[in-house]
Amino acid sequence: MKIAFIGLGNMGGGMAANLVKAGHDVRAFDLSEAALGAAKDAGCATFATAKEACTGAEAVVSMLPNGGIVKSVYEADVIGTAPEGAAFLDCSTIDVATAREVISAAEAAGYDMVDAPVSGGIAAANGGTLTFMVGGTETAFKRAEPILNAMGKAVIHAGDAGNGQAAKICNNMLLGIQMIGTCEAFALADKLGLDAQTFYDISSVSSGQCWSMTSYCPVPGVGPQSPSDNGYQGGFAAGLMLKDLKLAMEAAQTAGATTALGKHAQEIYEAFAADNAATDFSGIIKTL
Ligand code: NAD
């Protein structure tokens, strides 16, 4: 299948390479020459503009930094350029309102489109083991599913347009709150003279157990291998957690939802990311 791929950064680069491995004819575009060079090495055909990449494409996949960029790229270069009836898949993490607006514009012009943000970081993008949460019509989902399967291990239909983004920001708001709570518990245990491994052994089989503790423990040397064992490098950057918390708070305000802990988590990550944006989000334990 001829697939245009726009946005070949940390995530998009590996995702486009996996589409090539699955036998697709990938037509890549990025503003960065370095990203384009890497895509070429991975077997993509590269183009000087998004319009050229989209010309003749049966599907368009995008992995871009934010909603403003997604909206401008689709409005200026994708809608009206890709052949009518093409399928569009935006895998970026963006705000729910913009996702719905772009999908509605694409549908009005005769395309099927889904929002399909991902769970999983750069390693999962490279390894083809991302989880996709997908919003859009049943028809759009069915068309997107085989393309997403080539880049991930799980593809879940979350409902109508924008619901993929809704699932992503609700999940990551919960994760941010949960990680801060886990870090506070370990920090308090330490101050009370309780050994971290002993607290882990107890809490991991008690009611405080959660993913941040048993899959991604913020204390080095405790639990399975995680970024804390690597000086809080790699993993999920605090700057990206802050981005997702901001999107969640924007959505909560628009929807009139009460998210007191989400708001507090945003404030805590804002302070941390000011000097540690590239540090893994579990590094927040160093501030407690
Ligand atoms: P990145 O900054 O590495 O890549 C973004 C790419 O988009 C860059 O190569 C940039 O040159 C390109 N770009 C920007 N504007 C463009 C335009 N107008 N036309 C074409 N290309 C353009 O970011 P990333 O880490 O790959 O993240 C991409 C998306 O994935 C974001 O929405 C992010 O929130 C989401 N995400 C990232 C991670 C992660 O661990 N990095 C995890 C889950 C989701």
Side-chain angles (χ1 to χ4, degrees), residues 2 33 46 52 99 102 116 122 131 143 156 192 205 218 250 258 283:
K2 276 190 185 166
E33 283 298 328
T46 56
E52 286 173 69
V102 175
I122 300 163
T131 292
R143 294 186 68 190
I156 301 162
L192 296 174
V205 292
E250 269 172 44
T258 305

Side-chain angles (χ1 to χ4, degrees), residues 79 88 100 102-114 136-137 140 161:
I79 295 172
F88 299 162
R100 290 185 174 149
V102 175
I103 291 177
S104 154
E107 285 174 348
Y111 302 98
D112 285 317
M113 179 166 185
V114 294
T137 63

